[in-house]
Amino acid sequence: DQQVKQNSPSLSVQEGRISILNCDYTNSMFDYFLWYKKYPAEGPTFLISISSIKDKNEDGRFTVFLNKSAKHLSLHIVPSQPGDSAVYFCAASLAGGTSYGKLTFGQGTILTVHP
Amino acid sequence: DTGVSQNPRHKITKRGQNVTFRCDPISEHNRLYWYRQTLGQGPEFLTYFQNEAQLEKSRLLSDRFSAERPKGSFSTLEIQRTEQGDSAMYLCASSYLGLAGYEQYFGPGTRLTVT
């Protein structure tokens, strides 16, 4: 049961353009969402997050949008840079109970930014 | 470097052998998580500790797997009687319960190959 899904295995973008990575989830109890970036031979690095009480969070070139009714979130990178080339994972967490803080990850999207 | 560290980075073992991995979290973090990642997938939750207490274990964690966090500091993950299906990247992450967010900070991982 894949509760967090990233349906695009890969995305290719030209430098300077916008990159849009998408993520869907099925568990309506998730209330906190995160994006991680992963380079080869390294662990995932936290990028940006959003609480379910918000619909947008921005940090520099990175913006995450949350559409709760559609159970969909997206990560926008503007402008894209070659150094952004990596695997991007979205993750979701529950608010409370024993699973509080435990992350459920999507399968990842490989982003390639061409110079 | 005050990030999460994991040792060893790589482990090759023969089927049936026991292996043990170590994770040193960020010092002020009271939560420690273990995840497993296989090729083309996102990290999958295995277990987590709050201080020295193991609060949740995934159904992925068969009885051949055991994790400890003595004194609430470093943690070890042991796999007994390894099988080829155990080959994966084992990731450790830590976080501080009490922050508004749920961000977890990952180590570089231990790549296990069972031959």
Side-chain angles (χ1 to χ4, degrees):
Chain A
D1 176 25
Q2 190 77 29
Q3 297 188 65
V4 179
K5 297 181 183 180
Q6 294 175 255
N7 292 317
S8 298
S10 63
L11 175 68
S12 183
V13 172
Q14 206 68 29
E15 180 179 7
R17 300 287 190 115
I18 185 171
S19 296
I20 300 176
L21 298 104
N22 294 302
C23 180
D24 297 294
Y25 61 96
T26 57
N27 189 342
S28 57
M29 299 301 291
F30 286 142
D31 74 339
Y32 201 80
F33 304 89
L34 308 90
W35 284 94
Y36 281 82
K37 177 171 73 173
K38 187 180 185 303
Y39 293 119
E42 295 182 11
T45 302
F46 170 71
L47 201 55
I48 192 169
S49 61
I50 187 167
S51 165
S52 60
I53 61 173
K54 296 185 176 181
D55 55 17
K56 177 183 175 181
N57 188 27
E58 192 172 352
D59 183 1
R61 296 186 298 114
F62 303 91
T63 303
V64 56
F65 295 91
L66 175 63
N67 182 333
K68 283 187 65 179
S69 60
K71 296 190 180 68
H72 177 83
L73 64 154
S74 61
L75 175 68
H76 293 210
I77 307 174
V78 184
S80 301
Q81 300 173 353
D84 296 328
S85 297
V87 181
Y88 288 77
F89 293 99
C90 69
S93 180
L94 297 170
T98 56
S99 295
Y100 160 69
K102 180 183 86 173
L103 297 179
T104 302
F105 284 85
Q107 310 96 306
T109 297
I110 301 170
L111 174 65
T112 304
V113 181
H114 298 283
Chain B
D1 185 6
T2 57
V4 178
S5 62
Q6 292 186 247
N7 287 289
R9 293 292 306 274
H10 303 273
K11 179 70 176 179
I12 300 174
T13 191
K14 292 186 177 179
R15 189 166 49 120
Q17 297 294 304
N18 299 343
V19 294
T20 299
F21 310 140
R22 176 177 170 130
C23 171
D24 288 272
I26 294 171
S27 58
E28 62 268 25
H29 284 182
N30 54 6
R31 281 207 165 188
L32 187 149
Y33 301 80
W34 285 98
Y35 292 85
R36 180 171 67 188
Q37 185 178 17
T38 53
L39 197 62
Q41 299 297 317
E44 293 177 293
F45 170 79
L46 292 178
T47 188
Y48 85 92
F49 294 84
Q50 182 167 314
N51 300 313
E52 63 272 11
Q54 188 173 16
L55 296 187
E56 187 173 345
K57 292 167 60 172
S58 164
R59 282 170 289 181
L60 293 175
L61 212 65
S62 77
D63 52 11
R64 296 185 297 107
F65 288 69
S66 62
E68 293 182 344
R69 192 183 183 199
K71 302 178 184 177
S73 56
F74 70 92
S75 176
T76 57
L77 178 67
E78 181 183 15
I79 309 174
Q80 296 183 328
R81 306 181 302 281
T82 52
E83 301 173 356
Q84 287 188 321
D86 297 331
S87 296
M89 175 74 82
Y90 290 84
L91 293 162
C92 174
S94 69
S95 68
Y96 181 70
L97 180 66
L99 289 175
Y102 298 71
E103 293 83 8
Q104 295 177 18
Y105 297 87
F106 283 81
T110 294
R111 180 165 295 285
L112 173 65
T113 303
V114 181
T115 61

